[in-house]
Amino acid sequence: MKKILCLLPELAGLAWSIALVLSVSALLVSPLSAQIGRRFPSEKKIVIDPITGVPLTFLTSTQGTGDSKIYQTHHQWTSDGKWVIFRSSRAGSGQAMAVNEETGDIVQVSESGFQGMLCIAEHSMTLYFLRSQALPGAAVEAPFPPPPAAAAGRGDGPANTRGGRGGRGGGGVGGRGGPRGPAQVIAVDLAKLFADSAAGRLKAASEYEHVRGTLPTEMGAPGDMALDPTENFAYIRVGSVEAAKHLPPDAKIEKSFGPRGMGAGPTGLVSMNLRTGETKFILAVPFQIGHVQTNPWNPGEIVFCWETGGKAPQRTWTVMSDGTGLRPLYPEAPYEWVTHEAVISRDEVVIALLAFSGEGVWDGAGTAEHPTGVGIVNLRTREMRIVGQVPVGDPGRSDWHVNGSSDGRWAVCDDFRYRLWLIDRHSGEMAIIADLGQKTTAQDHTHPTFNADSTKIEIQTAMLSEDNRSLNICVVPVPRSWLARTYDNPKIGP
């Protein structure tokens, strides 16, 4: 017993040494496990929707990896149309990922997390995002050549910002709460990264991630960012301190609206020159800005919303990047519940007019006493047309999250049962193309987005999840019978 007692201090020291070695080993392994360019095996599988018979391509299919798509106000596919960018926690902390739609290969495309929106360039293989802490060794670089001339039509499908759930809020740094320090705009060279990853010759993150400019801490940039189609500018939401400097002294500052403690102002928008890092203030408004997006066909045109987490007094807004032309996009009535706006063509924005119960704290808005459905607003003529409605008496009750194809043929929405509906804008036909198991307890909504050639729709769904919550990335095709349709008047929309 005495010998054992004598050995206890040595055993304790040995245990401490082992713990130290393990800790050091963890530190050494951790950066490698989170390395940009790290590859993950394909999870791709085709699942036939049991109700509609439509083949669903799941690009991710495991559970608990924290997958979620970019919000439907932004592009989802890279400019070459081969890779879908999404968010995931499969590399530990939240990172940006890319999945090859053909092979299913998954590649990590950020290393130290990101904040807020992922912005995919339309004409170059570049990914942009905000990060609230500086990258070691990164610095603002000399101007680089402009991207190739814009091709005709849309580059990618349109995109989110929901923080911890991986929805709109983004990866390992930040979310809705704002930055911890200066916010850097990071550009990722995807072409170089994909090539090096495939060849197994990965380099340091600084070889792929480059700082294009820095916003000072006092601007309070939360990560809500959009990319101009020229790829020369980013437009970024800034906080109340900066915005207040630019408001008239007699401006009425809006308070929170509704039960979620959101909507209070002021907030503002700034532009950043992605070649020089220079920032310019665009505008300040007395309410909370959200869903900042651009028109992929019309440089300098911005669409945003009054973000309350629900019904807003005036949801949708538009402005030019020089601060001119500020106006409501769709002037809504107090009884209308307008939400989930997305630019879908050169002249059009799709909106959802919800058919809700009208009960509770949203001022009775969204009842079916007034027109509801999937609405499309023309930015030039200001005309709004309702192109589809969930049928009366259907258990899905209402459209919810909406999008449209850039060729003007289709609109899409989900409903309160998380099913996916396709609308033929020429005939007015509306049909469910994916039931998706009606997983209404999913961690987030489906947020449908069309691809560039208007033939398929990306969603996020819990259809395969045993916990009925965790999400996977899925692509739903427009049915061949719909794609084969011809029309006497094929020109609708753009």
Side-chain angles (χ1 to χ4, degrees), residues 34 89-90 112 175 187 202 213 241 312 352 377 379 383 420 430 433 441:
S89 297
R90 66 185 64 229
S112 301
L202 287 172
V241 173
V377 184
L379 285 159
E383 179 184 28
L420 198 65
M430 184 171 181
I433 59 169
T441 57

Side-chain angles (χ1 to χ4, degrees), residues 29-53:
V29 171
S30 177
L32 179 61
S33 64
Q35 183 181 14
I36 191 170
R38 179 186 178 193
R39 302 180 76 84
F40 296 80
S42 173
E43 302 173 8
K44 180 179 175 180
K45 61 174 61 175
I46 307 296
V47 178
I48 304 301
D49 189 285
I51 303 300
T52 68

Side-chain angles (χ1 to χ4, degrees), residues 88-143:
S88 180
S89 297
R90 66 185 64 229
S93 60
Q95 302 287 354
M97 296 282 172
V99 56
N100 188 291
E101 195 174 359
E102 181 179 353
T103 67
D105 292 340
I106 299 173
V107 178
Q108 183 178 328
V109 294
S110 69
E111 182 158 310
S112 301
F114 63 94
Q115 181 181 1
M117 196 67 69
L118 295 171
C119 300
I120 307 171
E122 187 165 0
H123 310 297
S124 69
M125 290 291 287
T126 312
L127 172 67
Y128 292 87
F129 52 77
L130 280 170
R131 182 178 289 150
S132 65
Q133 76 272 16
L135 283 172
V140 177
E141 299 180 341

Side-chain angles (χ1 to χ4, degrees), residues 196-478:
D196 287 356
S197 177
R201 55 170 187 263
L202 287 172
K203 304 176 182 67
S206 58
E207 291 289 324
Y208 313 105
E209 295 185 342
H210 309 289
V211 179
R212 295 302 181 207
T214 302
L215 295 170
T217 304
E218 55 269 23
M219 280 195 176
D224 205 345
M225 182 172 78
L227 185 66
D228 192 82
T230 62
E231 302 176 25
N232 292 328
F233 299 96
Y235 307 119
I236 306 162
R237 188 185 102 190
V238 294
S240 59
V241 173
E242 182 66 22
K245 300 175 184 177
H246 301 269
L247 280 175
D250 59 347
K252 177 189 174 184
I253 307 301
E254 299 290 348
K255 297 180 180 179
S256 296
F257 185 87
R260 296 191 176 180
M262 299 171 64
T267 52
L269 290 174
V270 299
S271 67
M272 175 181 287
N273 187 312
L274 296 174
R275 276 123 188 90
T276 66
E278 178 188 9
T279 59
K280 291 184 178 179
F281 201 85
I282 299 174
L283 88 162
V285 293
F287 52 82
Q288 179 180 332
I289 288 175
H291 292 203
V292 180
Q293 58 186 292
T294 55
N295 186 331
W297 298 269
N298 192 26
E301 189 167 36
I302 303 169
V303 169
F304 62 93
C305 78
W306 181 345
E307 178 64 277
T308 67
K311 155 72 179 170
Q314 170 56 51
R315 166 78 181 195
T316 57
W317 296 81
T318 183
V319 70
M320 298 305 291
S321 60
D322 61 1
T324 62
L326 175 66
R327 66 174 178 85
L329 172 67
Y330 170 69
E332 64 197 80
Y335 53 76
E336 291 177 315
W337 187 332
V338 176
T339 186
H340 296 115
E341 62 293 327
V343 180
I344 59 171
S345 74
R346 182 181 300 278
D347 299 323
E348 294 180 321
V349 178
V350 63
I351 60 174
L353 291 91
L354 297 194
F356 203 55
S357 64
E359 302 170 355
V361 295
W362 297 107
D363 293 341
T367 71
E369 300 169 291
H370 302 282
T372 62
V374 180
I376 294 181
V377 184
N378 190 296
L379 285 159
R380 314 305 160 212
T381 67
R382 306 193 184 187
E383 179 184 28
M384 193 280 281
R385 292 289 183 97
I386 293 176
V387 298
Q389 276 183 308
V390 174
V392 174
D394 188 276
R397 185 175 181 86
S398 174
D399 60 290
W400 201 351
H401 306 85
V402 293
N403 205 257
S405 63
S406 61
D407 64 3
R409 297 182 72 185
W410 324 116
V412 67
C413 72
D414 60 10
D415 64 14
F416 288 2
R417 292 289 183 93
Y418 289 38
R419 302 173 300 174
L420 198 65
W421 295 77
L422 185 64
I423 302 167
D424 185 327
R425 291 181 58 186
H426 293 80
S427 67
E429 181 182 354
M430 184 171 181
I432 296 173
I433 59 169
D435 180 80
L436 301 170
Q438 301 189 39
K439 295 290 185 76
T440 60
T441 57
Q443 198 169 13
D444 207 348
H445 310 122
T446 60
H447 298 135
T449 308
F450 275 95
N451 72 328
D453 63 11
S454 307
T455 60
K456 49 195 172 185
I457 303 154
E458 186 212 0
I459 61 168
Q460 57 188 12
T461 175
M463 179 181 177
L464 302 184
S465 300
E466 294 178 4
D467 63 1
N468 296 324
R469 284 185 53 78
S470 60
L471 300 171
N472 294 124
I473 305 301
C474 177
V475 174
V476 183
V478 175

